[in-house]
Amino acid sequence: MSDLRIRAATTDDLDTVLAFWTTAAEGTSISDDRDGMARLLARDPEALLLAEQDGELAGTVIAGFDGWRCHLYRLAVHPDRRRRGIGSALLAAAEERFVRLGGRRGDAMVLTRNEAAHHAWRAAGYAPEERWRRWVKPLTD
């Protein structure tokens, strides 16, 4: 893993990331489009972290901090590169970012049906918070 490089995404990376998520991420989101990602980077240029290995995109995580809470989204590692520490390295970089910004606790969006992800998140020290549920309302069609 010595050749693993983690960096913040730029707008030049957006199309590559969207294509990557079709292979590496579980499902899609209403905000999985170039405009939504561009708004994310305009608001928080360091929020989307990329892991590159051998010159290719190997993983992503969105480490969003709103000044109050630390939110993790879109932790995704290419299927051919899983179980090699890439996800752990991305989470470590996200957590370091949160601490640097004054964050005190991170939460993660994890699909209920994604059992493999549950194991990875638990191994990283995260646990489900059974007292809370995510409530959503689409704001656009």
Side-chain angles (χ1 to χ4, degrees), residues 4 16-17 19-26 51-53 56-61 74-87 90:
L4 187 69
T16 301
V17 172
F20 176 81
W21 284 344
T22 64
T23 301
E26 284 286 325
E52 296 174 325
Q53 192 172 44
E56 295 181 3
L57 183 57
T60 66
V61 69
R74 285 295 188 208
L75 177 62
V77 175
H78 191 281
D80 294 340
R81 297 177 188 256
R82 291 182 180 156
R83 304 197 53 81
R84 297 183 191 172
I86 295 169
L90 281 163

Side-chain angles (χ1 to χ4, degrees), residues 12-31:
D12 292 340
D13 296 309
L14 298 184
D15 293 327
T16 301
V17 172
L18 285 167
F20 176 81
W21 284 344
T22 64
T23 301
E26 284 286 325
T28 59
S29 168
I30 193 171
S31 55

Side-chain angles (χ1 to χ4, degrees), residues 25 28 30 46-47 51 54 57 68 88 98 112 125:
T28 59
I30 193 171
E46 296 180 359
D54 302 324
L57 183 57
W68 180 261
S88 296
F98 291 152
T112 304

Side-chain angles (χ1 to χ4, degrees), residues 2 8 17-18 26-27 38 41 45 49 53 69-70 72 80 84 96 99 101 106 108 111-112 121 127 129:
S2 61
V17 172
L18 285 167
E26 284 286 325
L41 294 186
L49 300 176
Q53 192 172 44
R69 299 257 166 84
C70 307
L72 295 160
D80 294 340
R84 297 183 191 172
E96 289 168 13
V99 169
L101 293 171
L111 290 171
T112 304
W121 284 102
E129 175 56 72

